[in-house]
Amino acid sequence: MDFDITFTPEQERFRARVRSWLDAHAPKDFPDLADPVLLTEADYLKQRRLGRELGDEGWLYPTYPREYGGGGLSPPEALVIEQELDRLGFTLPPYYDSGGKLGAASIMVWGAEEQKARFLPPILKGRVRTWQLLTEPEAGSDLANVKTTAIRDGDAYLVNGQKIFVGSAHGADQSWMIVNTDPGGRRHQNLSWFIVPMDLPGVSWAPMDLLFAGNERGAASGLKQTVYFDNVRLPAFNLIGGENNGWKVAGTHLELEHGLMQTSLGRNQLMERVFRLCKERLRRGRPLASNPRTRDLLADMHVDAQIGRLFHLRNYWLQSTGRPISYEGPQAYLHMKRAALRTSKALHKILGPYALTTDPHWRLEDGHLETQQRGSIVAQHPGGTVEIQKVIMARALGVGRAAAGKPDGQG
Ligand SMILES: Cc1cc2nc3c(=O)[nH]c(=O)nc-3n(C[C@H](O)[C@H](O)[C@H](O)COP(=O)(O)OP(=O)(O)OC[C@H]3O[C@@H](n4cnc5c(N)ncnc54)[C@H](O)[C@@H]3O)c2cc1C
């Protein structure tokens, strides 16, 4: 059975057009960074320029309606664009824009017409970059416990509080944020979502010094921030989905975040690196892969990678054909997170302490393998932890608590 996606001749002609467009527009000699924290401002600006140019073509958010700045394209055409960017080492969007991805989808579902017209085109055309602000010191897995308040004051809301583990390096133009709009109100019925311009007086942020905040593809983030809100006056127009209706909006946001945002249908660059290394690197005059134990571990890694690819392929099919989805997103995400840990253990067994070093003399594959060792631990948290993925799956499969079906846990 062939599990690969096949494209029609027309879609292949579209691919040729995208490829030649990218050859002309994509930045040349872009660095293949192990750690996205190392992305320079100059290279970040190149990513943003590519994003704007893709946006002008309608290729940045290809499947969104043209009237809001998308491309009005089909899921296979969007996949073609993603694959062609992947060939050059870029993602879609070519910069970290998780608030744009999740915020735009949520605004499409919950925004009023005039809000869609105002907020969607800048995101979909790459004019702004958006962070997603959910987590707080007392609200991680328990998202409904957010303490940042937004209290109505005339034609605005007064916002106070802080968000942690959010954002990325190189700042953002706006954020997509969940807050508490009724501090004395009932749990789940006191939450609301806003688009927040980051240049409003009283908004500030500072980087967090963490073990690692990106992933093998460098797309996750690059650096996490704490964002502070000190008496910020936020226009009431920016409230999306209605006051105290935020838990319903969260359902849209979280369903996507729990494993449906990471398509992962491109190349598995980590596997490519590991297999190349084991074939080429010699130990006592023989390639690493000549050791039967190493071959055993490589086979396990390959199986894990293929299972992950097939989960994502199935989810892509479910989404693009409009079929119902319940446990499949968290299932793929759970597998990704666990497989990352298994892979890092296997790499440690194959390479020993070299897998852990950043010493330029010893570091392997330009530091990507060392980065994977740190990244696999950190990857257990974003988008909801491993335990939270299991909780959601249990509910979707009908073996959870009585509150089955309610979204919980986030990232
Ligand atoms: C790299 C990275 C990127 C991130 N990006 C963002 C971002 O862009 N925006 C954003 O808002 N947040 C982001 N986060 C935050 C992320 O969403 C939270 O870390 C995550 O939701 C877990 O929350 P917490 O860290 O407060 O852990 P806690 O919720 O305190 O959990 C601690 C431990 O308890 C377990 N646990 C909690 N509840 C249960 C339960 N009901 N059943 C069983 N076990 C449970 C958890 O699984 C975990 O092991 C990011 C985090 C990381 C590490």
Side-chain angles (χ1 to χ4, degrees):
M1 189 181 287
D2 184 1
F3 285 111
D4 266 337
I5 301 172
T6 51
F7 295 91
T8 64
E10 198 184 339
Q11 287 159 353
E12 288 300 347
R13 278 194 292 281
F14 178 65
R15 180 189 300 283
R17 186 153 80 85
V18 172
R19 188 170 290 195
S20 73
W21 186 93
L22 281 176
D23 285 345
H25 290 81
K28 307 282 180 288
D29 303 324
F30 204 78
D32 179 19
L33 295 173
D35 195 332
V37 168
L38 304 174
L39 184 76
T40 64
E41 179 76 10
D43 284 328
Y44 164 67
L45 293 175
K46 286 182 198 166
Q47 290 180 329
R48 290 295 303 274
R49 194 186 62 220
L50 177 60
R52 279 194 301 279
E53 291 177 359
L54 284 164
D56 289 341
E57 296 293 317
W59 292 353
L60 184 62
Y61 281 89
T63 55
Y64 279 77
R66 294 181 72 84
E67 61 187 297
Y68 300 126
L73 298 176
S74 65
E77 286 166 322
L79 189 58
V80 163
I81 298 170
E82 214 160 338
Q83 286 178 333
E84 290 305 309
L85 277 162
D86 179 68
R87 197 175 57 86
L88 302 178
F90 292 102
T91 51
L92 189 68
Y95 47 90
Y96 173 78
D97 194 31
S98 67
K101 274 187 158 182
L102 295 160
S106 305
I107 292 169
M108 274 301 290
V109 176
W110 295 98
E113 193 47 46
E114 56 276 22
Q115 291 177 315
K116 290 183 195 174
R118 165 95 72 89
F119 295 127
L120 289 177
I123 297 174
L124 305 185
K125 288 194 160 292
R127 286 350 186 223
V128 294
R129 183 251 275 271
T130 312
W131 287 345
Q132 51 155 335
L133 306 191
L134 292 82
T135 306
E136 298 183 4
E138 292 179 58
S141 304
D142 186 11
L143 175 62
N145 198 37
V146 294
K147 301 285 187 233
T148 296
T149 52
I151 306 301
R152 184 83 191 221
D153 179 23
D155 60 356
Y157 282 82
L158 210 56
V159 185
N160 282 288
Q162 68 169 296
K163 297 283 178 179
I164 55 171
F165 291 118
V166 295
S168 64
H170 308 295
D173 308 290
Q174 60 182 21
S175 285
W176 168 239
M177 173 162 92
I178 186 166
V179 293
N180 188 319
T181 32
D182 182 9
R186 289 187 60 191
R187 186 175 157 86
H188 294 129
Q189 294 171 21
N190 54 357
L191 303 167
S192 306
W193 288 82
F194 288 88
I195 283 283
V196 186
M198 295 298 273
D199 59 358
L200 287 178
V203 180
S204 60
W205 58 89
M208 299 177 79
D209 192 9
L210 301 173
L211 178 66
F212 184 66
N215 65 8
E216 158 69 11
R217 292 302 316 275
S221 46
L223 188 70
K224 299 317 286 184
Q225 312 274 347
T226 299
V227 180
Y228 302 94
F229 298 90
D230 184 9
N231 279 322
V232 176
R233 265 191 91 74
L234 179 60
F237 181 81
N238 292 30
L239 167 70
I240 308 285
E243 188 174 297
N244 297 328
N245 199 35
W247 199 239
K248 290 197 180 128
V249 181
T252 305
H253 176 111
L254 295 175
E255 183 177 357
L256 283 173
E257 185 164 28
H258 291 149
L260 294 180
M261 215 175 57
Q262 302 78 5
T263 49
S264 300
L265 294 176
R267 292 172 295 156
N268 189 320
Q269 297 193 3
L270 178 67
M271 287 303 134
E272 285 175 17
R273 290 178 201 286
V274 173
F275 275 73
R276 183 172 56 232
L277 183 82
C278 291
K279 280 192 261 182
E280 292 173 1
R281 183 69 65 125
L282 305 182
R283 182 179 286 158
R284 295 191 199 95
R286 292 163 59 83
L288 289 174
S290 65
N291 180 324
R293 177 74 184 125
T294 299
R295 285 204 299 274
D296 204 31
L297 291 165
L298 289 175
D300 285 342
M301 267 189 242
H302 185 67
V303 169
D304 257 342
Q306 288 302 316
I307 292 172
R309 190 180 75 85
L310 292 174
F311 276 147
H312 287 292
L313 198 55
R314 178 210 48 198
N315 291 355
Y316 164 78
W317 169 72
L318 289 171
Q319 277 182 296
S320 58
T321 54
R323 285 177 162 75
I325 300 182
S326 65
Y327 66 89
E328 293 89 348
Q331 181 189 40
Y333 211 13
L334 177 63
H335 173 78
M336 253 173 86
K337 286 169 183 274
R338 285 168 150 178
L341 275 186
R342 284 193 290 270
T343 296
S344 70
K345 272 192 192 166
L347 279 174
H348 202 195
K349 281 185 186 152
I350 295 172
L351 302 168
Y354 299 136
L356 298 170
T357 183
T358 51
D359 182 327
H361 182 69
W362 293 111
R363 70 182 206 173
L364 303 170
E365 291 290 319
D366 285 338
H368 282 266
L369 302 189
E370 184 276 336
T371 306
Q372 195 277 340
Q373 295 286 312
R374 283 181 291 135
S376 64
I377 300 167
V378 174
Q380 306 306 304
H381 280 81
T385 64
V386 164
E387 287 73 26
I388 292 303
Q389 305 308 320
K390 289 187 199 169
V391 168
I392 305 163
M393 281 184 73
R395 288 181 188 176
L397 292 167
V399 291
R401 282 186 294 135
K406 286 197 177 154
D408 217 340
Q410 50 89 35

